[in-house]
Amino acid sequence: MAEARSVDTRERILDAAEHLFMAHGYEGTSMRQITSGAGVNLAAVNYHFGSKESLMQEVFRRRLDWLNDERMRVLNALESEAAGKPLKPSQIVDGFFGTLLRMADDEERGGVTFLRLLGRTLTDPSEFIRTFLAHEYAEVVDRYKEALFKALPDVPKAEIVWRFHFMLGATSYAIAGTDALRLVTDWQIEEEDSTDRLDRLVPRLMSFLLGGLRSPLPQFSSPTVDL
Amino acid sequence: MAEARSVDTRERILDAAEHLFMAHGYEGTSMRQITSGAGVNLAAVNYHFGSKESLMQEVFRRRLDWLNDERMRVLNALESEAAGKPLKPSQIVDGFFGTLLRMADDEERGGVTFLRLLGRTLTDPSEFIRTFLAHEYAEVVDRYKEALFKALPDVPKAEIVWRFHFMLGATSYAIAGTDALRLVTDWQIEEEDSTDRLDRLVPRLMSFLLGGLRSPLPQFSSPTVDL
DNA sequence: GTCTATAGTCTGATAGAC
DNA sequence: GTCTATCAGACTATAGAC
């Protein structure tokens, strides 16, 4: 029972931390906010996780291990079904970004809270979390990059990697969902409630990403343009 | 002379704050780091700006006033040249995002440092800075939204606003330039040096944004699709 | 495994001499 | 306008009782 309580406490701390880091950022969240939000003692974080940094890493690991396994599973399934032939770009984009976005509906996996935390962390990384994320993502990103190279053999690899970045950025911002410029305020009332908005975000974003990915290549002044 | 020194001190503080906020975020940067970075006394920030929050706002105002004036100027020029006819989407996108990206080369206006600060702040906003940014951007965003509505009369306004968001996100992430996932590391050496990369970022991003903006509309299960 | 108490440090801000 | 000195509070982390 003591151990059962302990697992509970860990989860409660992780849930509180996830929510607070999402709302106020890593630096903007104190151990006191986390422990009081979780209803546990101030010392509990250090006992269970060792430090605030380790807690932050555990917040991400808890979700990303599943997400990246799932992305691998999806890509493996697609590739074995394609039997060596290149995949369609839309399949690859959906495997990577669609799998992420579908976490929004899955409260067991953190739901929108985790998505928003991930989105803001990708542009706001302290060195320790950047190193951690890079390691956590390395294998999956590599596999998806290779799949895109195969799917778009006429597009220079450098262009594909850049567009991967742009897709990641559009997605991060969309899921961070802060609407810093309050672009949304004036029309959101008249048209859709918030669940509709989330449901429709996915197809909207996917069509935007694919449009960007397949857009005509830019013309540089320099002579080295492959297509 | 005392006053000349004072203007100098203000600018030195703003420069140091801009750089440190970019590198470590608002919460991650202390007054002591700022003042020692600027080579001024600890009390100087409170004397010149009143508080850390006011300093942050001034860091943005110094750059955004110019940027948004310039965006207005460009849009006015385009519209008066078009004489009432709708603009091309590429003109509008270039007016908004191109004007921003061209600041990268302008060290007088903050260069890449400010761009990266802006990029990370758009997904990492404390409430006070979100309110400030929304107010600072309101007029310009509204004008550009209207221009896009006119340029794309067959696309539902809600879709355009969403795509504005996605473009903003892709741009923010690109200029934040943190490369959290180290996507770039393995190929950057072989191909381009860093100035090339920046020069080429603009056309690359612009073609991605336009591809996304003009992408076929997503099909929802619901019946209300205008195009 | 959970708690209290507290060490040791850093924070933003200010009063007051010059 | 610039400085030193300092306040009052918040911070992470830990030692040690239970």
Side-chain angles (χ1 to χ4, degrees):
Chain A
M1 185 189 95
E3 199 161 321
R5 287 258 299 152
S6 157
V7 170
D8 235 48
T9 299
R10 276 182 62 100
E11 290 297 312
R12 289 165 59 78
I13 290 171
L14 288 169
D15 289 344
E18 185 173 69
H19 189 268
L20 287 162
F21 287 150
M22 177 274 289
H24 308 115
Y26 176 76
E27 310 270 11
T29 301
S30 72
M31 302 277 263
R32 284 167 167 79
Q33 289 175 282
I34 296 165
T35 49
S36 91
V40 301
N41 188 268
L42 173 58
V45 168
N46 284 283
Y47 178 77
H48 285 285
F49 300 96
S51 70
K52 191 185 174 185
E53 285 199 1
S54 300
L55 170 61
M56 178 70 157
Q57 291 180 9
E58 197 53 37
V59 166
F60 279 96
R61 195 193 322 276
R62 174 170 75 146
R63 308 298 187 195
L64 290 182
D65 279 355
W66 177 86
L67 170 63
N68 285 333
D69 283 354
E70 181 69 9
R71 282 168 163 165
M72 280 295 198
R73 199 187 60 71
V74 168
L75 185 57
N76 287 335
L78 288 171
E79 287 185 338
S80 90
E81 195 182 355
K85 285 196 298 189
L87 300 175
K88 284 162 52 183
S90 62
Q91 294 177 299
I92 301 168
V93 169
D94 185 74
F96 195 87
F97 295 101
T99 302
L100 172 70
L101 292 165
R102 271 172 239 118
M103 286 178 83
D105 295 322
D106 189 349
E107 290 302 321
E108 291 282 295
R109 312 270 176 217
V112 287
T113 302
F114 175 71
L115 257 58
R116 294 182 62 177
L117 172 61
L118 182 62
R120 69 179 287 166
T121 305
L122 284 175
T123 52
D124 179 44
S126 312
E127 189 50 44
F128 85 94
I129 196 69
R130 173 154 55 238
T131 303
F132 171 77
L133 285 179
H135 177 265
E136 191 82 0
Y137 263 100
E139 196 189 353
V140 175
V141 166
D142 226 64
R143 283 285 310 280
Y144 273 85
K145 265 163 55 177
E146 288 300 329
L148 283 173
F149 294 161
K150 254 183 90 175
L152 301 163
D154 296 331
V155 182
K157 292 184 178 185
E159 298 299 327
I160 292 177
V161 176
W162 272 111
R163 288 171 180 208
F164 205 131
H165 261 111
F166 300 150
M167 292 191 286
L168 203 56
T171 306
S172 295
Y173 189 85
I175 65 181
T178 45
D179 192 21
L181 306 188
R182 308 207 199 286
L183 270 170
V184 164
T185 39
D186 58 313
W187 56 273
Q188 72 178 5
I189 314 111
E190 71 193 55
E191 202 207 339
E192 299 169 354
D193 64 31
S194 70
T195 50
D196 263 3
R197 213 156 56 241
L198 189 63
D199 285 347
R200 294 183 173 196
L201 171 63
V202 179
R204 279 173 169 146
L205 180 56
M206 293 301 253
S207 98
F208 180 88
L209 296 182
L210 280 169
L213 179 62
R214 294 184 296 212
S215 181
L217 290 177
Q219 299 298 319
F220 302 115
S221 32
S222 107
T224 51
V225 177
D226 295 351
L227 179 77
Chain B
M1 182 190 97
E3 198 160 325
R5 288 259 296 152
S6 156
V7 171
D8 235 46
T9 299
R10 276 182 62 99
E11 291 296 313
R12 290 163 58 77
I13 290 171
L14 288 169
D15 289 344
E18 184 173 70
H19 189 268
L20 286 162
F21 288 149
M22 176 274 288
H24 308 115
Y26 176 75
E27 311 271 9
T29 302
S30 72
M31 303 275 264
R32 284 165 169 81
Q33 288 176 280
I34 295 166
T35 49
S36 93
V40 301
N41 189 268
L42 171 59
V45 168
N46 284 284
Y47 178 78
H48 286 284
F49 300 96
S51 68
K52 191 185 172 184
E53 284 199 3
S54 300
L55 170 61
M56 178 71 156
Q57 290 180 10
E58 198 53 39
V59 166
F60 279 96
R61 194 192 324 276
R62 173 170 74 146
R63 308 299 187 193
L64 289 183
D65 279 356
W66 177 87
L67 170 62
N68 285 332
D69 283 354
E70 180 69 9
R71 282 168 164 165
M72 280 294 198
R73 199 188 61 70
V74 169
L75 186 56
N76 287 334
L78 288 171
E79 287 184 338
S80 91
E81 194 181 356
K85 286 196 297 188
L87 301 176
K88 284 161 52 182
S90 64
Q91 293 177 299
I92 301 169
V93 169
D94 186 74
F96 195 87
F97 295 100
T99 302
L100 171 70
L101 292 165
R102 273 172 238 117
M103 286 179 83
D105 294 322
D106 189 348
E107 290 302 322
E108 291 282 296
R109 311 269 177 218
V112 287
T113 303
F114 175 72
L115 257 58
R116 294 182 62 177
L117 173 61
L118 182 60
R120 68 178 289 166
T121 306
L122 285 176
T123 50
D124 180 44
S126 313
E127 189 49 43
F128 85 93
I129 195 70
R130 173 155 54 236
T131 303
F132 172 77
L133 284 179
H135 177 264
E136 190 82 1
Y137 263 101
E139 196 189 353
V140 175
V141 166
D142 226 63
R143 284 285 311 279
Y144 273 84
K145 264 162 59 176
E146 290 299 328
L148 283 174
F149 293 163
K150 253 183 90 175
L152 300 164
D154 296 330
V155 181
K157 292 184 178 184
E159 298 300 326
I160 292 177
V161 177
W162 272 111
R163 287 172 181 207
F164 205 132
H165 260 111
F166 299 149
M167 290 191 289
L168 203 56
T171 306
S172 294
Y173 190 84
I175 66 182
T178 45
D179 191 21
L181 304 189
R182 308 207 199 286
L183 272 169
V184 163
T185 38
D186 57 315
W187 56 274
Q188 72 177 5
I189 314 110
E190 70 193 56
E191 202 207 340
E192 298 169 354
D193 65 32
S194 70
T195 50
D196 263 2
R197 213 156 57 240
L198 190 65
D199 287 347
R200 294 183 172 196
L201 170 64
V202 180
R204 279 172 168 147
L205 180 56
M206 294 301 256
S207 98
F208 180 87
L209 296 182
L210 281 170
L213 179 63
R214 294 185 295 213
S215 181
L217 290 177
Q219 300 298 319
F220 302 115
S221 31
S222 110
T224 51
V225 176
D226 294 351
L227 180 78

